[in-house]
Amino acid sequence: MKYLTLNEEVLLLAILRLKGDAYPVSIREKVIEMTEKDVVYGTLYNSLDQLQKKGYLRSEKGDPTPERGGKSKIYFKLTERGISALRNTVEFHESIWEGIDELSARLKKN
Amino acid sequence: MNKSFKPPSLAEWLLKRLTYYNDRYYSTGDLQENYNHLQEDKGNIRARVWYWSQVLKSILPYLSLTFITGAIMFKSYLKTALRNIKRSKGFSFINIAGLSVGMTCFILIMLFVSYEFSYDRYHENADNIYRVVLKRPGNVWLGTDWWNNTPGTLKAPLMQDCPEIERIARINKKRGVFHFEEKHYIENRFFIVDPEFLEIFSFPFVAGDPKTALDEPMNLLLTEEMADKYFGGENPIGKILNLDGKYDYKITGILKNVPANSHFKFDFLAPFNTLYTINKEYEEWLETWQSNDYQTYIQIFNNIGRHDFENKFPVPHKKYSGKDWNVDIYLQPLKDIHLKGHMNGELEANSDIRYIYLFLVIALLILLIACLNYMNLSTARSAKRSREIGVRKVVGAVRASLIRQFIGESIVLSFIALSVSIIIVKLVLPGFSAFVERDLSFNFYSNLELILSLICTVVTVGIVSGIYPAFFLSSIKPASVIKSTSGKSVKTKLSLRNSLVVFQFIISIVLIFCTIAIYDQLKYINNKDLGYNKEHIIILNLQSNELRRNYVPLKNELLQYSRILDITASHEPPDYITEGGDARWEGKTEDDDINFYRTYVDYNYFDFYEMNVLAGRKFSKDIVTDKETAYILNKTAVEAIGWDNPIGKGFKHWEEGSVIGVADDFHFHDLGKKVQPLVIKLINSDYPGTIGCLSLKISPEDISGTLAFVENKYKEFSSDFPFTYSFLDERIDRMYKSEQRLGKSFLYFTAIAIFIACLGLFGLASYVAECKTKEIGIRKAMGATINNVVSLLGMEFLKWIILSAVISYPIGYYAVNEWLQQNFVYRTDIDLEVYVFSGALAIVITILSVGYQSLKAAYTDPVDSLRNE
């Protein structure tokens, strides 16, 4: 079973949260909002490509708008595989955290 | 849409470049959208800065991805390339052989060239060091009016006049015999230098204190090599070396050997004030402006604008000396000396930058021939590969990726060729080093530059040779592959391939042409009547004054030996007379300004060398006054003066006297120089300076026996000075060493160029023969003879070779003529022979390389060639 890295997790969750409106500009904003760190487009594209190659994402071409200099938007959506990968990761997290109540309580305090 | 909405165009362009291969066409759109929002919120400048920073920061992620895909693709190129190499062994062999020979040649020449450019650069201050040189406009001596020997007294005024100068060092080259106990050797590389010499130049010490080593007169520094030669394993510091049995030098330091890439090399150094200790008169002599015995080197301060300083020169000599001489003082940068210094008084023979450029051009041309070969052969094979390309395209390859694949293939091939050529270079480097007389090395471990430049070469060669085939092959349409049979697509591009062959052969024929012409000139030099007899003559140097005074007894003793036929004494052998000056004569006017060369000869000199005396008489023992006052001039001198009847005219060159005879001109310089006016005087054993050597005419049998006899006799007369001799014809030969080397290098270049071109021709011929298999089969079935078929194939190439010969003749003529004009006053004409021979050679080579394929095709049974399909 393969698990997602933190970066991949963040990216997939951002796309999930954006529902139908996930294209690079909005994804980037969401990721920045979630992580409070700047993301460079170049890196973002690379990660999106990787996720697409792994089959977690698929892309759709939108309509070109003048605002974008006549370029189409590319919308990203999670595939079934992507969703199950996310689910796996959550379960995995829960399984490895299980029974460490004391620590998690102390962590939550801070 | 408002124009100001547009993001920075340069950044956008960069982004497009970066995303071109990743199909990220949409990314410009994303960035622009974001940019527009920012512009509205935070203003134009902030938005621009943001856009730029996004693009710049994205470079690395983009590139890393390209590298990864690049590496994956490279693996696939490698695989297909290797498959193709395996599949067509013959073609691959020809391609790799051609490329590796071309590269070998290129690498060797580049090693040589970069060595030539490395001269004197190892000095820490190399950029700030200049040599002071003099130009005497119009006063040509030995072919140039530049001199690098300067007066010893120039140092002080120069230092005073130019605050930019940090240090000045003078060099005075001496020779003599050094003694230590039983050992004694004659040494030519003994420099007397100012102590600043050690600070200006970077010659590291092995032992001794650099600060004080040259403080005292009669101190001596020597190189490691010399320390070993005289003292073996002992420590030489503090020991005494004796010079010429007169002066004791105390050794105060040992220096590392002078690197081979220096324009001067020394074995011994002594401080300048040694001169005064040796001879008091030096003090006075050094103060004069006539004392042109010294090389002067200056070092300027580090923070000086070089350009401004250089612009201060030339300075007229008068400014410092106050003398009304037509002399100017120039500076020559240290780094230029080896390649551009050809002056009177050079400490060592230098290279010529023109030859370096010539070699570079030839190296590039040979590499180009090899690339053209590759181009030619790979396009020729397009028919064979058209199916592969068609399938690739149908499966979905875009043109760009096909182009990359083909260029990748050619780069792989040139890498293979490089590895072959590295092995060849390793093998031939010792021979090559000996040929160019340089200590070249080819070492990867210490030389990152070398590795980088090799990789650059390979990639360039790969791209240059692959680019045309790549575009050509990738343009093949899948449909046409299915429609046409194999031969068709070839025909259309045949003209371009032919022009490549023509171009290759133009280069080859020009090289053949030049080689033949150079050898013609060398033959001309060899056969040219120099005006004196040069066969079977030994020149025996008389080095000590004692020997010179006693030359008559030595001569008489030597004449006892039956194989020594005749002996004469002279100041120098007749092949190279360098001394002289001006003279006075009856009727000389103010405007007459002639430089005379001068030599001193024995009574029998003219008979000995079989020189003609045109008028008057030779020197005679019976006439006592001949010894002091008789002058014989050569024909050129008389013509320069303008005398109709020179005999008896008053003449003065040092002593007052008169002309007693006119000698026919003989070549006392190389044939690059016109015969100059010459004054001939009698030697005088009272002035040993007038005697320098004995010429011995010997019979050609048992030369080694004769030499042994001469050596024994010589040693009876002189125990100190070693026995040195030379053969006159060899001395003359050596004057043309650089020409001979040029001839030889052209011979090699030509052989290599022809080899590569032939490989290409051979490959092309086999291809054409293959394409025409059916045609030939049908022709033969219809009754064509073998002759018909052979000429059918042969003519196809022969006409192109003839065309290239016609084009290359004017180029070759121009090149050779230029070379002859610049280097030789006495030269051969470029006769018909050269044209005919170079053309014929090209045709013969064509026939040989095409012939085999044609014959093979012609002898094929038509049944075999027509049976398929």
Side-chain angles (χ1 to χ4, degrees):
Chain A
M1 190 83 236
K2 276 199 169 175
Y3 303 106
L4 297 169
T5 65
L6 193 58
N7 280 334
E8 286 170 336
E9 206 180 333
V10 169
L11 215 57
L12 290 181
L13 285 172
I15 292 167
L16 209 59
R17 278 169 197 271
L18 285 164
K19 300 206 171 94
D21 192 34
Y23 70 105
V25 178
S26 60
I27 297 171
R28 181 170 165 270
E29 275 166 12
K30 200 78 187 169
V31 170
I32 292 174
E33 186 192 311
M34 285 160 69
T35 61
E36 295 171 358
K37 270 184 205 156
D38 189 30
V39 180
V40 175
Y41 271 110
T43 331
L44 181 71
Y45 291 136
N46 279 358
S47 314
L48 288 171
D49 271 9
Q50 293 282 324
L51 288 171
Q52 239 176 318
K53 256 182 216 158
K54 286 181 182 169
Y56 300 148
L57 287 179
R58 65 190 151 83
S59 58
E60 262 169 35
K61 215 172 182 179
D63 295 326
T65 59
E67 193 190 20
R68 296 173 51 84
K71 296 279 181 334
S72 315
K73 283 183 186 173
I74 299 290
Y75 289 103
F76 289 92
K77 285 203 173 88
L78 261 71
T79 58
E80 277 306 313
R81 269 189 81 175
I83 292 172
S84 68
L86 265 179
R87 195 178 296 132
N88 277 331
T89 310
V90 174
E91 281 167 10
F92 175 66
H93 272 289
E94 280 169 359
S95 76
I96 55 175
W97 279 94
E98 206 182 334
I100 318 187
D101 294 336
E102 192 194 337
L103 180 64
S104 62
R106 222 194 281 173
L107 282 171
K108 268 173 195 160
K109 252 185 222 165
N110 297 337
Chain B
M1 191 173 151
N2 194 328
K3 235 194 168 176
S4 70
F5 278 135
K6 290 215 81 166
S9 52
L10 182 63
E12 196 178 7
W13 173 83
L14 187 64
L15 185 69
K16 273 186 189 154
R17 289 289 102 202
L18 283 170
T19 55
Y20 180 76
Y21 290 112
N22 310 339
D23 301 326
R24 297 260 185 70
Y25 47 87
Y26 53 82
S27 59
T28 47
D30 286 331
L31 256 87
Q32 189 169 348
E33 187 185 330
N34 226 326
Y35 169 82
N36 289 342
H37 290 312
L38 265 171
Q39 203 179 29
E40 278 163 29
D41 293 350
K42 298 191 172 162
N44 214 345
I45 294 168
R46 291 282 287 273
R48 275 170 169 270
V49 171
W50 176 84
Y51 195 97
W52 264 110
S53 75
Q54 281 292 322
V55 172
L56 290 179
K57 280 181 194 163
S58 298
I59 289 178
L60 212 60
Y62 277 138
L63 279 186
S64 66
L65 199 78
T66 320
F67 279 137
I68 293 163
T69 49
I72 294 166
M73 286 316 287
F74 186 76
K75 208 175 127 194
S76 125
Y77 299 149
L78 194 70
K79 209 187 274 170
T80 43
L82 290 176
R83 263 185 215 152
N84 272 316
I85 289 167
K86 258 189 231 159
R87 194 180 304 145
S88 45
K89 289 196 180 71
F91 274 105
S92 315
F93 174 75
I94 290 174
N95 270 334
I96 293 172
L99 277 179
S100 47
V101 170
M103 274 192 212
T104 307
C105 189
F106 182 74
I107 293 171
L108 286 176
I109 291 177
M110 288 316 286
L111 284 176
F112 170 65
V113 168
S114 63
Y115 188 85
E116 289 297 288
F117 277 103
S118 76
Y119 266 70
D120 296 313
R121 289 180 194 224
Y122 59 88
H123 295 293
E124 264 170 54
N125 305 318
D127 284 322
N128 296 330
I129 302 174
Y130 295 85
R131 174 168 84 171
V132 181
V133 296
L134 304 180
K135 186 180 167 69
R136 304 187 155 91
N139 191 349
V140 175
W141 195 257
L142 297 175
T144 170
D145 55 358
W146 287 93
W147 308 68
N148 65 47
N149 7 36
T150 51
T153 186
L154 185 63
K155 183 179 177 181
L158 204 60
M159 196 85 196
Q160 211 163 38
D161 191 44
C162 306
E164 297 94 336
I165 298 179
E166 189 174 1
R167 297 184 183 95
I168 299 184
R170 293 163 295 179
I171 300 176
N172 185 212
K173 192 178 179 183
K174 296 245 172 234
R175 65 201 298 266
V177 177
F178 276 109
H179 296 255
F180 179 72
E181 290 169 0
E182 290 306 296
K183 291 178 187 166
H184 62 277
Y185 304 97
I186 185 157
E187 300 293 354
N188 294 317
R189 312 199 306 191
F190 173 33
F191 284 11
I192 305 253
V193 297
D194 281 314
E196 289 95 326
F197 180 86
L198 292 174
E199 291 174 82
I200 295 178
F201 298 106
S202 313
F203 294 114
F205 271 70
V206 178
D209 181 4
K211 291 218 171 58
T212 59
L214 290 181
D215 278 1
E216 299 287 320
M218 310 308 281
N219 280 358
L220 188 71
L221 299 179
L222 38 68
T223 57
E224 275 181 305
E225 192 190 339
M226 289 301 124
D228 206 50
K229 182 163 145 191
Y230 284 91
F231 303 100
E234 287 175 63
N235 177 14
I237 301 275
K239 293 235 165 57
I240 303 290
L241 262 187
N242 182 281
L243 181 70
D244 293 347
K246 289 182 210 155
Y247 312 109
D248 281 340
Y249 285 89
K250 190 182 152 207
I251 295 167
T252 52
I254 305 171
L255 296 168
K256 276 234 152 65
N257 291 335
V258 181
N261 53 350
S262 313
H263 83 277
F264 62 68
K265 295 170 202 82
F266 57 83
D267 294 319
F268 300 92
L269 289 182
F272 218 71
N273 43 21
T274 306
L275 287 176
Y276 312 136
T277 318
I278 295 173
N279 190 343
K280 268 275 168 225
E281 282 170 26
Y282 263 113
E283 243 163 303
E284 221 171 288
W285 170 241
L286 256 166
E287 290 304 309
T288 66
W289 287 97
Q290 280 89 348
S291 62
N292 285 311
D293 298 336
Y294 307 93
Q295 326 282 332
T296 307
Y297 290 84
I298 65 168
Q299 180 200 346
I300 59 169
F301 284 102
N302 215 357
N303 51 1
I304 299 291
R306 286 172 53 101
H307 194 67
D308 290 338
F309 176 65
E310 282 168 28
N311 277 346
K312 282 182 127 180
F313 291 84
V315 174
H317 197 279
K318 198 179 171 185
K319 187 177 172 191
Y320 300 135
S321 64
K323 309 249 182 208
D324 207 9
W325 295 339
N326 188 14
V327 183
D328 293 314
I329 301 169
Y330 283 79
L331 291 182
Q332 184 176 34
L334 178 72
K335 287 173 170 178
D336 284 357
I337 295 176
H338 176 66
L339 291 173
K340 294 177 188 161
H342 303 281
M343 306 186 180
N344 285 305
E346 291 291 347
L347 291 165
E348 266 167 53
N350 289 324
S351 276
D352 190 335
I353 190 129
R354 290 176 305 170
Y355 283 139
I356 306 287
Y357 286 146
L358 184 67
F359 276 29
L360 262 182
V361 168
I362 290 174
L364 285 173
L365 282 179
I366 286 179
L367 200 59
L368 188 65
I369 293 186
C371 291
L372 293 184
N373 240 2
Y374 180 89
M375 268 188 211
N376 224 341
L377 291 174
S378 12
T379 43
R381 285 172 62 220
S382 63
K384 291 220 150 180
R385 296 195 69 178
S386 54
R387 293 227 168 82
E388 176 199 338
I389 296 154
V391 170
R392 275 179 192 273
K393 280 199 166 176
V394 167
V395 171
V398 290
R399 194 168 174 200
S401 78
L402 277 176
I403 288 174
R404 262 179 288 158
Q405 185 207 327
F406 286 118
I407 290 182
E409 255 176 48
S410 64
I411 291 178
V412 168
L413 209 72
S414 66
F415 255 109
I416 297 173
L418 175 74
S419 11
V420 176
S421 65
I422 285 174
I423 297 170
I424 306 177
V425 168
K426 286 260 179 203
L427 290 176
V428 301
L429 193 66
F432 182 74
S433 299
F435 175 61
V436 297
E437 293 178 348
R438 300 282 185 267
D439 186 18
L440 303 177
S441 68
F442 187 65
N443 202 345
F444 288 117
Y445 309 109
S446 56
N447 201 340
L448 187 70
E449 245 170 76
L450 180 68
I451 298 172
L452 285 180
S453 51
L454 283 181
I455 290 174
C456 277
T457 313
V458 164
V459 173
T460 318
V461 166
I463 290 175
V464 167
S465 51
I467 194 116
Y468 174 71
F471 276 92
F472 175 63
L473 291 177
S474 63
S475 70
I476 293 172
K477 292 197 177 64
S480 70
V481 175
I482 299 154
K483 259 189 266 168
S484 71
T485 46
S486 58
K488 277 257 175 75
S489 65
V490 184
K491 259 240 150 99
T492 51
K493 289 285 172 185
L494 209 60
S495 62
L496 183 112
R497 265 209 304 288
N498 283 331
S499 44
L500 288 183
V501 170
V502 168
F503 186 70
Q504 279 184 327
F505 265 80
I506 289 174
I507 297 174
S508 308
I509 294 172
V510 168
L511 284 173
I512 299 174
F513 190 94
C514 293
T515 312
I516 297 173
I518 292 170
Y519 274 93
D520 255 15
Q521 173 67 13
L522 287 173
K523 203 170 85 192
Y524 170 85
I525 289 170
N526 223 0
N527 296 337
K528 167 98 182 158
D529 180 12
L530 298 174
Y532 56 88
N533 176 24
K534 60 175 182 178
E535 305 297 332
H536 305 303
I537 288 171
I538 298 177
I539 306 295
L540 177 63
N541 296 325
L542 302 178
Q543 314 219 36
S544 73
N545 286 343
E546 194 193 337
L547 254 178
R548 290 166 180 170
R549 280 195 199 94
N550 294 323
Y551 87 93
V552 180
L554 174 63
K555 175 178 155 183
N556 290 338
E557 290 267 335
L558 287 173
L559 276 173
Q560 301 291 314
Y561 194 67
S562 63
R563 295 232 157 87
I564 298 176
L565 309 174
D566 198 5
I567 295 181
T568 191
S570 57
H571 186 252
E572 67 267 277
D575 60 331
Y576 196 52
I577 296 171
T578 61
E579 289 180 12
D582 56 358
R584 305 186 161 279
W585 61 86
E586 223 178 296
K588 183 181 181 180
T589 62
E590 282 286 306
D591 302 331
D592 285 330
D593 186 19
I594 304 171
N595 273 323
F596 291 90
Y597 290 79
R598 177 219 328 129
T599 188
Y600 297 95
V601 305
D602 206 349
Y603 290 104
N604 62 344
Y605 185 81
F606 294 97
D607 297 327
F608 181 94
Y609 277 114
E610 296 164 27
M611 291 172 181
N612 294 325
V613 173
L614 300 175
R617 59 178 177 85
K618 302 163 191 169
F619 296 116
S620 164
K621 277 182 185 165
D622 303 330
I623 300 167
V624 190
T625 51
D626 270 9
K627 224 172 184 179
E628 298 285 341
T629 63
Y631 286 98
I632 292 179
L633 304 185
N634 72 349
K635 201 172 115 205
T636 308
V638 173
E639 278 163 9
I641 293 172
W643 278 330
D644 288 332
N645 182 18
I647 309 301
K649 288 268 173 25
F651 192 85
K652 183 189 175 190
H653 181 84
W654 299 112
E655 293 106 337
E656 204 73 58
S658 61
V659 177
I660 62 156
V662 179
D664 201 1
D665 283 343
F666 63 94
H667 290 274
F668 54 89
H669 291 143
D670 62 84
L671 295 177
K673 300 183 182 86
K674 232 177 126 43
V675 174
Q676 299 291 320
L678 177 72
V679 180
I680 306 169
K681 274 210 80 182
L682 260 181
I683 54 171
N684 189 338
S685 45
D686 296 336
Y687 304 114
T690 62
I691 308 170
C693 68
L694 289 183
S695 309
L696 285 65
K697 194 175 290 174
I698 57 166
S699 72
E701 299 97 39
D702 189 28
I703 291 174
S704 57
T706 312
L707 278 173
F709 173 80
V710 175
E711 181 166 6
N712 279 332
K713 277 284 165 241
Y714 177 89
K715 287 210 165 130
E716 282 174 26
F717 280 81
S718 160
S719 56
D720 270 7
F721 283 85
F723 174 67
T724 55
Y725 70 94
S726 50
F727 290 93
L728 185 60
D729 48 355
E730 282 175 9
R731 286 173 58 100
I732 295 167
D733 227 30
R734 239 175 289 147
M735 290 202 278
Y736 304 102
K737 210 166 147 194
S738 71
E739 279 79 12
Q740 282 159 355
R741 193 153 33 170
L742 186 76
K744 255 197 195 148
S745 3
F746 261 79
L747 196 63
Y748 296 146
F749 288 146
T750 311
I752 289 167
I754 291 176
F755 172 73
I756 299 173
C758 281
L759 280 182
L761 210 56
F762 183 81
L764 213 55
S766 67
Y767 171 74
V768 170
E770 203 175 308
C771 280
K772 293 197 170 175
T773 315
K774 283 201 188 102
E775 183 189 332
I776 292 167
I778 293 167
R779 277 175 193 271
K780 280 190 80 176
M782 304 297 273
T785 61
I786 288 181
N787 271 347
N788 288 346
V789 176
V790 170
S791 61
L792 170 80
L793 285 171
M795 276 308 153
E796 172 129 14
F797 288 102
L798 220 49
K799 64 180 184 220
W800 298 118
I801 304 307
I802 291 168
L803 174 69
S804 34
V806 170
I807 298 173
S808 37
Y809 285 153
I811 303 173
Y813 176 80
Y814 174 78
V816 169
N817 200 37
E818 196 70 6
W819 176 71
L820 285 174
Q821 300 260 3
Q822 280 193 18
N823 291 289
F824 296 98
V825 176
Y826 305 92
R827 53 186 180 252
T828 163
D829 297 320
I830 305 169
D831 39 332
L832 197 63
E833 221 178 86
V834 183
Y835 294 94
V836 173
F837 195 68
S838 55
L841 191 61
I843 289 171
V844 168
I845 289 163
T846 316
I847 291 172
L848 285 181
S849 48
V850 177
Y852 168 73
Q853 293 295 344
S854 318
L855 281 176
K856 203 172 106 187
Y859 275 107
T860 318
D861 193 339
V863 175
D864 289 331
S865 47
L866 294 177
R867 192 173 43 196
N868 326 323
E869 291 179 47

PDB file of all heavy atoms in Angstrom, chain B residues 117 308 338 365 377 535 573 797:
ATOM      1  N   PHE B 117      49.873  28.813 -26.837  1.00  0.00           N
ATOM      2  CA  PHE B 117      49.307  29.983 -26.182  1.00  0.00           C
ATOM      3  C   PHE B 117      49.611  30.029 -24.685  1.00  0.00           C
ATOM      4  O   PHE B 117      49.297  30.992 -24.024  1.00  0.00           O
ATOM      5  CB  PHE B 117      47.795  30.060 -26.418  1.00  0.00           C
ATOM      6  CG  PHE B 117      47.438  30.678 -27.732  1.00  0.00           C
ATOM      7  CD1 PHE B 117      47.037  29.903 -28.799  1.00  0.00           C
ATOM      8  CD2 PHE B 117      47.543  32.046 -27.910  1.00  0.00           C
ATOM      9  CE1 PHE B 117      46.736  30.468 -30.027  1.00  0.00           C
ATOM     10  CE2 PHE B 117      47.236  32.627 -29.121  1.00  0.00           C
ATOM     11  CZ  PHE B 117      46.834  31.841 -30.182  1.00  0.00           C
ATOM     12  N   ASP B 308      46.308  52.912 -20.832  1.00  0.00           N
ATOM     13  CA  ASP B 308      46.904  54.244 -20.779  1.00  0.00           C
ATOM     14  C   ASP B 308      48.418  54.168 -20.819  1.00  0.00           C
ATOM     15  O   ASP B 308      49.090  54.953 -21.486  1.00  0.00           O
ATOM     16  CB  ASP B 308      46.472  54.960 -19.486  1.00  0.00           C
ATOM     17  CG  ASP B 308      45.003  55.315 -19.549  1.00  0.00           C
ATOM     18  OD1 ASP B 308      44.481  55.396 -20.685  1.00  0.00           O
ATOM     19  OD2 ASP B 308      44.393  55.494 -18.483  1.00  0.00           O
ATOM     20  N   HIS B 338      56.228  35.052 -27.518  1.00  0.00           N
ATOM     21  CA  HIS B 338      56.471  33.760 -28.159  1.00  0.00           C
ATOM     22  C   HIS B 338      55.853  33.668 -29.547  1.00  0.00           C
ATOM     23  O   HIS B 338      56.405  33.055 -30.449  1.00  0.00           O
ATOM     24  CB  HIS B 338      55.950  32.622 -27.286  1.00  0.00           C
ATOM     25  CG  HIS B 338      56.092  31.285 -27.928  1.00  0.00           C
ATOM     26  ND1 HIS B 338      57.315  30.727 -28.186  1.00  0.00           N
ATOM     27  CD2 HIS B 338      55.185  30.411 -28.404  1.00  0.00           C
ATOM     28  CE1 HIS B 338      57.144  29.562 -28.777  1.00  0.00           C
ATOM     29  NE2 HIS B 338      55.863  29.342 -28.923  1.00  0.00           N
ATOM     30  N   LEU B 365      38.842  22.346 -40.573  1.00  0.00           N
ATOM     31  CA  LEU B 365      38.395  21.841 -41.868  1.00  0.00           C
ATOM     32  C   LEU B 365      38.327  20.319 -41.857  1.00  0.00           C
ATOM     33  O   LEU B 365      37.385  19.716 -42.369  1.00  0.00           O
ATOM     34  CB  LEU B 365      39.338  22.319 -42.975  1.00  0.00           C
ATOM     35  CG  LEU B 365      39.144  23.764 -43.421  1.00  0.00           C
ATOM     36  CD1 LEU B 365      40.149  24.129 -44.498  1.00  0.00           C
ATOM     37  CD2 LEU B 365      37.728  23.986 -43.925  1.00  0.00           C
ATOM     38  N   LEU B 377      26.391  10.300 -45.328  1.00  0.00           N
ATOM     39  CA  LEU B 377      26.045   8.891 -45.218  1.00  0.00           C
ATOM     40  C   LEU B 377      24.691   8.715 -44.559  1.00  0.00           C
ATOM     41  O   LEU B 377      23.917   7.857 -44.961  1.00  0.00           O
ATOM     42  CB  LEU B 377      27.121   8.159 -44.430  1.00  0.00           C
ATOM     43  CG  LEU B 377      28.439   8.051 -45.182  1.00  0.00           C
ATOM     44  CD1 LEU B 377      29.505   7.445 -44.314  1.00  0.00           C
ATOM     45  CD2 LEU B 377      28.250   7.241 -46.439  1.00  0.00           C
ATOM     46  N   GLU B 535      78.965  20.758 -50.357  1.00  0.00           N
ATOM     47  CA  GLU B 535      79.026  19.305 -50.169  1.00  0.00           C
ATOM     48  C   GLU B 535      80.305  18.885 -49.453  1.00  0.00           C
ATOM     49  O   GLU B 535      81.385  19.401 -49.725  1.00  0.00           O
ATOM     50  CB  GLU B 535      78.956  18.588 -51.523  1.00  0.00           C
ATOM     51  CG  GLU B 535      77.746  18.953 -52.375  1.00  0.00           C
ATOM     52  CD  GLU B 535      76.426  18.561 -51.728  1.00  0.00           C
ATOM     53  OE1 GLU B 535      76.407  17.594 -50.939  1.00  0.00           O
ATOM     54  OE2 GLU B 535      75.416  19.249 -51.990  1.00  0.00           O
ATOM     55  N   PRO B 573      80.897  30.394 -41.135  1.00  0.00           N
ATOM     56  CA  PRO B 573      80.644  29.698 -42.394  1.00  0.00           C
ATOM     57  C   PRO B 573      79.837  30.593 -43.330  1.00  0.00           C
ATOM     58  O   PRO B 573      79.177  31.533 -42.864  1.00  0.00           O
ATOM     59  CB  PRO B 573      79.828  28.474 -41.981  1.00  0.00           C
ATOM     60  CG  PRO B 573      79.742  28.478 -40.511  1.00  0.00           C
ATOM     61  CD  PRO B 573      80.263  29.752 -39.990  1.00  0.00           C
ATOM     62  N   PHE B 797      30.616   9.820 -60.047  1.00  0.00           N
ATOM     63  CA  PHE B 797      31.456  10.493 -59.051  1.00  0.00           C
ATOM     64  C   PHE B 797      32.554  11.309 -59.709  1.00  0.00           C
ATOM     65  O   PHE B 797      32.897  12.393 -59.256  1.00  0.00           O
ATOM     66  CB  PHE B 797      32.062   9.464 -58.109  1.00  0.00           C
ATOM     67  CG  PHE B 797      31.053   8.893 -57.187  1.00  0.00           C
ATOM     68  CD1 PHE B 797      30.513   7.638 -57.408  1.00  0.00           C
ATOM     69  CD2 PHE B 797      30.611   9.626 -56.103  1.00  0.00           C
ATOM     70  CE1 PHE B 797      29.557   7.130 -56.568  1.00  0.00           C
ATOM     71  CE2 PHE B 797      29.653   9.124 -55.256  1.00  0.00           C
ATOM     72  CZ  PHE B 797      29.126   7.866 -55.490  1.00  0.00           C
TER      73      PHE B 797
END
